[in-house]
Amino acid sequence: RVDQLKYDVQHLQTALRNFQHRRYIREQQERQREELLARTFTTNDSDTTIPIDETLQFNESLQNAHRGMDDLIGSGTNILQGLRDQRVTLKGTQKKILDVANTLG
């Protein structure tokens, strides 16, 4: 009979602890819910903002540099084409001079 009473006491104490724990959890959830409902939300702090302006400026600078390199390559191509044209003209002139020199003897 004493063993049965000890078992019953332990069983009731465990049930009481479980009940108290569930009650504590429920109260904590209700408290948190009330805190959330009472809380006024604001915009993000400056620490959480993304520096889009700096990124846009960086991207624009890269595009300007890319455009500048394209212009340099275009200028270089035009200069090379001009030198080729001058070479053709000078070769033609050299040939004419040689022809005149051969004609004069």
Side-chain angles (χ1 to χ4, degrees), residues 45-59:
D45 297 334
S46 62
D47 296 338
T48 59
T49 58
I50 300 171
I52 292 178
D53 291 338
E54 294 173 8
T55 306
L56 286 175
Q57 289 174 352
F58 181 71
N59 188 23

Side-chain angles (χ1 to χ4, degrees), residues 23-75:
R23 184 175 175 204
Y24 172 76
I25 294 294
R26 191 176 332 114
E27 287 174 357
Q28 187 179 13
Q29 288 174 346
E30 286 179 19
R31 210 173 326 110
Q32 289 173 349
R33 187 178 305 117
E34 289 300 321
E35 286 175 9
L36 279 176
L37 291 174
R39 183 177 180 184
T40 56
F41 291 95
T42 60
T43 58
N44 291 337
D45 297 334
S46 62
D47 296 338
T48 59
T49 58
I50 300 171
I52 292 178
D53 291 338
E54 294 173 8
T55 306
L56 286 175
Q57 289 174 352
F58 181 71
N59 188 23
E60 187 175 329
S61 296
L62 283 177
Q63 287 178 349
N64 288 339
H66 184 71
R67 233 179 278 118
M69 289 304 295
D70 284 344
D71 291 344
L72 282 174
I73 290 172
S75 296

